[in-house]
Amino acid sequence: MDQLTMRPIRVGITMGDPAGIGPEIIIKALTDHSHYDGMIPVIYGDPLVFNETLARIKSPLQLRVIEDALSAKGHYGTLEIIPTSNVESTPKLGEVNPKAGDMAVKAITTAIQSALHGEIDAINTAPINKEAVRKAGYHYPGHTEMLAELFSAHHVVTMFVVGNLRVFFLTRHHPLKDAIRLLTIEQVYDGIQQAIKYLVELGFAQPVLAVAALNPHAGENGLIGTEEQEILIPAIKKAQQDGLSVEGPIPADAVFYQARMGRYHGVLSLYHDQGHIATKTLDFNGTVSVTLGLPVIRTSVDHGTAFDIAGQGIADAHGQSEALRVAKELTLLKQSRN
């Protein structure tokens, strides 16, 4: 552990869709000196894209092309990039383009290979455009599925981080009526197990998880909904009997605040918007999406390519900066357990 903490964390940063704001927010985030304190950022992408972006936003940073992540020196003021494509002209900004989709995927796949060879400790991904990726001939519906397949990871979990609030999702991209229908004792129990498992892997020795309620006031003993009594409480009791530290169901209008105040190490959100509203209201641009279950930590901003403002130099890099910070902190937590 002592050697690990002495060595800077190498974070591979994939450029995202070059027609979007990815390169811009990466450059802006890396103007922050703090990202070079115990961390070496390594960009995976196209040098021409980054040189054009540096000139467009009048950044004083310089670009240095390197062959592999282990060659990165991590000196502030210099962006170190591993070329993953070598285009003669960059895709037009703000438009869906299969060329841009292909460039984005190549950056990701190269970073994955670096991670598999132990050259980087974490991956931070800038936004991609799903339509551009499909038009480029790839079958991946998104970042998470691509990473899971290429890392041969059988079970991955999404966790949102904003400050010290950590939110897991039991269901995600389902209509609300389907998300409710999908709730079962077994599924909730499995979600509790998985969330606590990953909190332990991140270095929390005895994490306490809270389960958000589905109905107002946690159902008021069945007066305003029976899902708590019929599904959530039996699942939580089963988990408690198995030695897991879990509490709930706790009304959703209180549980996220309580977790933010440190009462819980994580919250299990039952459906997409329940957790998204809580985190994005707290810090819309600063919410970080974390993929767990891969060999390395993966973080990302929780927004898209923002084609509507691409090239204007006005993109907010706060989320990108937070995603880099979280990548470093969670990697250190994970290493501290090993």
PDB file of all heavy atoms in Angstrom, residues 272-284:
ATOM      1  N   HIS A 272     -34.781   5.698 -12.075  1.00  0.00           N
ATOM      2  CA  HIS A 272     -33.894   6.678 -12.699  1.00  0.00           C
ATOM      3  C   HIS A 272     -34.017   8.082 -12.106  1.00  0.00           C
ATOM      4  O   HIS A 272     -33.065   8.634 -11.532  1.00  0.00           O
ATOM      5  CB  HIS A 272     -34.183   6.706 -14.203  1.00  0.00           C
ATOM      6  CG  HIS A 272     -33.322   7.629 -14.999  1.00  0.00           C
ATOM      7  ND1 HIS A 272     -33.575   8.991 -15.090  1.00  0.00           N
ATOM      8  CD2 HIS A 272     -32.228   7.405 -15.767  1.00  0.00           C
ATOM      9  CE1 HIS A 272     -32.663   9.559 -15.869  1.00  0.00           C
ATOM     10  NE2 HIS A 272     -31.837   8.617 -16.299  1.00  0.00           N
ATOM     11  N   ASP A 273     -35.187   8.688 -12.216  1.00  0.00           N
ATOM     12  CA  ASP A 273     -35.313  10.092 -11.838  1.00  0.00           C
ATOM     13  C   ASP A 273     -35.219  10.318 -10.335  1.00  0.00           C
ATOM     14  O   ASP A 273     -34.854  11.413  -9.898  1.00  0.00           O
ATOM     15  CB  ASP A 273     -36.637  10.663 -12.356  1.00  0.00           C
ATOM     16  CG  ASP A 273     -36.571  11.010 -13.835  1.00  0.00           C
ATOM     17  OD1 ASP A 273     -35.568  10.654 -14.485  1.00  0.00           O
ATOM     18  OD2 ASP A 273     -37.524  11.622 -14.350  1.00  0.00           O
ATOM     19  N   GLN A 274     -35.522   9.315  -9.542  1.00  0.00           N
ATOM     20  CA  GLN A 274     -35.443   9.471  -8.094  1.00  0.00           C
ATOM     21  C   GLN A 274     -34.037   9.896  -7.681  1.00  0.00           C
ATOM     22  O   GLN A 274     -33.851  10.833  -6.898  1.00  0.00           O
ATOM     23  CB  GLN A 274     -35.832   8.162  -7.398  1.00  0.00           C
ATOM     24  CG  GLN A 274     -35.986   8.276  -5.899  1.00  0.00           C
ATOM     25  CD  GLN A 274     -36.403   6.957  -5.266  1.00  0.00           C
ATOM     26  OE1 GLN A 274     -35.746   5.930  -5.452  1.00  0.00           O
ATOM     27  NE2 GLN A 274     -37.506   6.976  -4.539  1.00  0.00           N
ATOM     28  N   GLY A 275     -33.029   9.206  -8.205  1.00  0.00           N
ATOM     29  CA  GLY A 275     -31.645   9.541  -7.878  1.00  0.00           C
ATOM     30  C   GLY A 275     -31.102  10.705  -8.676  1.00  0.00           C
ATOM     31  O   GLY A 275     -30.319  11.524  -8.172  1.00  0.00           O
ATOM     32  N   HIS A 276     -31.526  10.805  -9.946  1.00  0.00           N
ATOM     33  CA  HIS A 276     -31.029  11.892 -10.797  1.00  0.00           C
ATOM     34  C   HIS A 276     -31.478  13.253 -10.286  1.00  0.00           C
ATOM     35  O   HIS A 276     -30.694  14.208 -10.272  1.00  0.00           O
ATOM     36  CB  HIS A 276     -31.520  11.698 -12.234  1.00  0.00           C
ATOM     37  CG  HIS A 276     -30.686  10.741 -13.028  1.00  0.00           C
ATOM     38  ND1 HIS A 276     -29.914  11.136 -14.103  1.00  0.00           N
ATOM     39  CD2 HIS A 276     -30.492   9.413 -12.905  1.00  0.00           C
ATOM     40  CE1 HIS A 276     -29.297  10.090 -14.608  1.00  0.00           C
ATOM     41  NE2 HIS A 276     -29.639   9.030 -13.897  1.00  0.00           N
ATOM     42  N   ILE A 277     -32.736  13.360  -9.880  1.00  0.00           N
ATOM     43  CA  ILE A 277     -33.242  14.646  -9.385  1.00  0.00           C
ATOM     44  C   ILE A 277     -32.468  15.073  -8.139  1.00  0.00           C
ATOM     45  O   ILE A 277     -32.084  16.247  -7.998  1.00  0.00           O
ATOM     46  CB  ILE A 277     -34.756  14.559  -9.098  1.00  0.00           C
ATOM     47  CG1 ILE A 277     -35.529  14.415 -10.417  1.00  0.00           C
ATOM     48  CG2 ILE A 277     -35.228  15.783  -8.336  1.00  0.00           C
ATOM     49  CD1 ILE A 277     -36.995  14.080 -10.238  1.00  0.00           C
ATOM     50  N   ALA A 278     -32.225  14.136  -7.249  1.00  0.00           N
ATOM     51  CA  ALA A 278     -31.514  14.469  -6.011  1.00  0.00           C
ATOM     52  C   ALA A 278     -30.104  14.969  -6.286  1.00  0.00           C
ATOM     53  O   ALA A 278     -29.671  16.005  -5.755  1.00  0.00           O
ATOM     54  CB  ALA A 278     -31.472  13.248  -5.098  1.00  0.00           C
ATOM     55  N   THR A 279     -29.365  14.254  -7.116  1.00  0.00           N
ATOM     56  CA  THR A 279     -27.969  14.629  -7.359  1.00  0.00           C
ATOM     57  C   THR A 279     -27.856  15.885  -8.206  1.00  0.00           C
ATOM     58  O   THR A 279     -27.055  16.773  -7.923  1.00  0.00           O
ATOM     59  CB  THR A 279     -27.209  13.473  -8.038  1.00  0.00           C
ATOM     60  OG1 THR A 279     -27.903  13.072  -9.240  1.00  0.00           O
ATOM     61  CG2 THR A 279     -27.091  12.282  -7.103  1.00  0.00           C
ATOM     62  N   LYS A 280     -28.687  15.984  -9.242  1.00  0.00           N
ATOM     63  CA  LYS A 280     -28.551  17.121 -10.151  1.00  0.00           C
ATOM     64  C   LYS A 280     -29.096  18.416  -9.549  1.00  0.00           C
ATOM     65  O   LYS A 280     -28.656  19.509  -9.925  1.00  0.00           O
ATOM     66  CB  LYS A 280     -29.220  16.803 -11.482  1.00  0.00           C
ATOM     67  CG  LYS A 280     -28.467  15.730 -12.258  1.00  0.00           C
ATOM     68  CD  LYS A 280     -29.104  15.449 -13.605  1.00  0.00           C
ATOM     69  CE  LYS A 280     -28.311  14.407 -14.362  1.00  0.00           C
ATOM     70  NZ  LYS A 280     -28.911  14.090 -15.686  1.00  0.00           N
ATOM     71  N   THR A 281     -30.026  18.301  -8.625  1.00  0.00           N
ATOM     72  CA  THR A 281     -30.461  19.499  -7.923  1.00  0.00           C
ATOM     73  C   THR A 281     -29.352  20.002  -7.013  1.00  0.00           C
ATOM     74  O   THR A 281     -29.139  21.210  -6.866  1.00  0.00           O
ATOM     75  CB  THR A 281     -31.734  19.223  -7.102  1.00  0.00           C
ATOM     76  OG1 THR A 281     -32.782  18.821  -7.989  1.00  0.00           O
ATOM     77  CG2 THR A 281     -32.193  20.466  -6.350  1.00  0.00           C
ATOM     78  N   LEU A 282     -28.637  19.086  -6.415  1.00  0.00           N
ATOM     79  CA  LEU A 282     -27.530  19.450  -5.534  1.00  0.00           C
ATOM     80  C   LEU A 282     -26.409  20.115  -6.317  1.00  0.00           C
ATOM     81  O   LEU A 282     -25.866  21.147  -5.901  1.00  0.00           O
ATOM     82  CB  LEU A 282     -27.015  18.202  -4.810  1.00  0.00           C
ATOM     83  CG  LEU A 282     -25.888  18.396  -3.804  1.00  0.00           C
ATOM     84  CD1 LEU A 282     -26.312  19.361  -2.711  1.00  0.00           C
ATOM     85  CD2 LEU A 282     -25.502  17.046  -3.199  1.00  0.00           C
ATOM     86  N   ASP A 283     -26.044  19.535  -7.469  1.00  0.00           N
ATOM     87  CA  ASP A 283     -24.984  20.113  -8.316  1.00  0.00           C
ATOM     88  C   ASP A 283     -25.148  19.551  -9.724  1.00  0.00           C
ATOM     89  O   ASP A 283     -24.642  18.477 -10.038  1.00  0.00           O
ATOM     90  CB  ASP A 283     -23.607  19.774  -7.757  1.00  0.00           C
ATOM     91  CG  ASP A 283     -22.481  20.543  -8.451  1.00  0.00           C
ATOM     92  OD1 ASP A 283     -22.728  21.099  -9.542  1.00  0.00           O
ATOM     93  OD2 ASP A 283     -21.358  20.579  -7.917  1.00  0.00           O
ATOM     94  N   PHE A 284     -25.870  20.292 -10.562  1.00  0.00           N
ATOM     95  CA  PHE A 284     -26.205  19.788 -11.891  1.00  0.00           C
ATOM     96  C   PHE A 284     -24.958  19.471 -12.709  1.00  0.00           C
ATOM     97  O   PHE A 284     -24.837  18.400 -13.307  1.00  0.00           O
ATOM     98  CB  PHE A 284     -27.081  20.792 -12.645  1.00  0.00           C
ATOM     99  CG  PHE A 284     -27.575  20.279 -13.973  1.00  0.00           C
ATOM    100  CD1 PHE A 284     -28.729  19.515 -14.044  1.00  0.00           C
ATOM    101  CD2 PHE A 284     -26.888  20.548 -15.147  1.00  0.00           C
ATOM    102  CE1 PHE A 284     -29.189  19.020 -15.250  1.00  0.00           C
ATOM    103  CE2 PHE A 284     -27.335  20.064 -16.367  1.00  0.00           C
ATOM    104  CZ  PHE A 284     -28.495  19.300 -16.417  1.00  0.00           C
TER     105      PHE A 284
END
